[in-house]
Amino acid sequence: MPTAPMEPKRGMAIPGYLERLRGSLPHPVIQGMKAPIRRYGAATASSRPLPDYLIVGTKKGGTTSLINWLVAHPHVCRMFPPPQRLKSAHYFDINYARGLSWYRSHFPSETVRNRLERSGGHPVVVGEASPYYMFHPAVPYRVAETLPDVKIIVLLRDPVSRAYSNYWDRRATQTEDIQTFEAAIDAEAERLATVDEYRLLHDPSYYSFDHDNHSYLARGRYLEHLQPWIDMFRPEQLLILRAEAMFTEPERVFTRVQSFLDIPVVGTIPLSKFNERSRPPMAAETRARLADYYRPHNAALYKALGEDFGWEAKYPS
């Protein structure tokens, strides 16, 4: 069975022939092609079915790994165009004002899907992954209106390690200038106080950089972000997974995902780890502080889901 290699990969992987195609083109040419391709996709939007599944969270919970595993499956399509390293259109969180034709432009045409179905002998599916979808408060309502029958996959990671990983990821991508994790979580309440919650819910053109990038503690209060999804979608549309199991039991978890999406179970896909970054160890007192902070939130989550994820065993009170 495939196992995850020690060295993690970054971003969205593409097949070798597409990698060679990208490598043969100068960077300015690649950048210059993006707008015309998107205009073409929007012009042909009526022939482009909307996605079958969404991976909605959580940040630093394995969403990039899972979407990479899926697009390596013979019955899962890549977003359009395939040579672009697209994980998400970020339509429901950041680009909602661009409209539905723009969103459809990111997915393969009915003709492409039919051709792949004929060649593979089974219907194909397509989707996207944005961990901001679970945290942005307007997204479940927008998704329910646009994709009422979509399948939704949620990955939940121990919120203590998730928050710490999130901070170091923001540091690596230069979207965080506070020098320590402890100072960043101390500053979080003040930063988020600048967010206009009404506009976040009701104004598609509104974007808050702090809400997107500096919500380390808030993103780990999972139940408050999950509850609208639970309320608005049928139970059979939701697959909620413990992220840690993806990397301790990848074959078992990926089998569950494939069965959930009604695609044949394929056991030959390399289940590599993506986007994991090295970081210094967390201070023991910081770990204890976060464990205490999340203990009641985790208890509420376990009760609502009817499942104990066992995170508290790592941080005894």
Side-chain angles (χ1 to χ4, degrees):
M1 296 296 288
T3 57
M6 295 298 293
E7 183 62 31
K9 300 180 180 181
R10 302 285 179 217
M12 286 299 295
I14 56 175
Y17 74 95
L18 292 177
E19 192 73 68
R20 290 189 292 273
L21 174 62
R22 286 178 61 92
S24 69
L25 298 173
H27 182 70
V29 172
I30 294 174
Q31 294 301 111
M33 291 169 63
K34 288 184 177 180
I37 288 173
R38 192 58 55 217
R39 285 195 296 269
Y40 169 76
T44 56
S46 61
S47 68
R48 298 180 181 278
L50 289 167
D52 305 285
Y53 70 88
L54 301 175
I55 304 172
V56 304
T58 182
K59 185 73 173 176
K60 302 308 296 178
T63 59
T64 301
S65 294
L66 183 55
I67 191 71
N68 272 290
W69 298 357
L70 281 169
V71 298
H73 193 289
H75 302 294
V76 178
C77 295
R78 291 177 174 273
M79 298 180 72
F80 176 80
Q84 289 188 8
R85 303 178 188 276
L86 291 174
K87 174 182 175 180
S88 177
H90 288 287
Y91 174 64
F92 294 106
D93 47 17
I94 298 172
N95 293 306
Y96 198 61
R98 292 178 180 266
L100 195 57
S101 291
W102 180 87
Y103 185 48
R104 284 182 179 272
S105 76
H106 290 80
F107 299 102
S109 67
E110 188 72 55
T111 299
V112 168
R113 291 182 62 143
N114 288 340
R115 184 175 69 245
L116 291 172
E117 179 177 343
R118 287 193 302 272
S119 65
H122 192 279
V124 297
V125 297
V126 67
E128 58 161 338
S130 169
Y132 196 27
Y133 278 179
M134 188 174 81
F135 186 59
H136 192 297
V139 169
Y141 303 94
R142 293 169 178 173
V143 172
E145 181 178 357
T146 308
L147 303 171
D149 298 315
V150 74
K151 293 190 174 183
I152 299 152
I153 302 171
V154 183
L155 296 165
L156 299 181
R157 178 182 179 182
D158 161 31
V160 175
S161 58
R162 191 224 66 81
Y164 194 59
S165 180
N166 193 174
Y167 168 78
W168 285 105
D169 186 70
R170 296 300 85 192
R171 292 282 292 164
T173 58
Q174 301 182 6
T175 52
E176 174 59 86
D177 56 9
I178 293 181
Q179 297 297 306
T180 69
F181 175 61
E182 290 77 10
I185 59 176
D186 286 341
E188 182 171 332
E190 183 177 353
R191 282 168 151 179
L192 297 189
T194 66
V195 178
D196 189 326
E197 296 285 350
Y198 181 86
R199 291 189 66 196
L200 204 60
L201 274 167
H202 301 288
D203 181 355
S205 66
Y206 177 71
Y207 173 74
S208 167
F209 182 84
D210 282 328
H211 188 268
D212 188 3
N213 290 281
H214 300 144
S215 304
Y216 305 116
L217 294 177
R219 281 186 186 246
R221 300 193 300 263
Y222 295 135
L223 183 58
E224 66 185 69
H225 314 308
L226 268 179
Q227 194 63 57
W229 297 93
I230 294 170
D231 292 343
M232 283 185 277
F233 294 91
R234 302 184 304 277
E236 61 269 24
Q237 290 179 258
L238 286 165
L239 178 63
I240 300 173
L241 300 168
R242 187 171 62 90
E244 292 84 357
M246 276 187 60
F247 303 111
T248 58
E249 305 173 274
E251 292 87 2
R252 182 184 67 80
V253 171
F254 193 47
T255 293
R256 285 189 65 188
V257 171
Q258 293 171 87
S259 298
F260 175 68
L261 296 178
D262 293 322
I263 54 178
V265 173
V266 174
T268 56
I269 294 170
L271 304 183
S272 306
K273 183 181 288 189
F274 287 76
N275 282 10
E276 183 68 14
R277 299 182 186 276
S278 61
R279 54 191 179 275
M282 192 189 313
E285 56 270 25
T286 303
R287 188 179 300 277
R289 170 187 171 186
L290 266 64
D292 287 342
Y293 176 84
Y294 284 120
R295 193 165 282 112
H297 297 289
N298 290 346
L301 175 73
Y302 301 161
K303 182 178 180 181
L305 299 183
E307 180 180 1
D308 188 332
F309 284 13
W311 293 324
E312 278 63 40
K314 299 164 61 178
Y315 316 111
S317 56

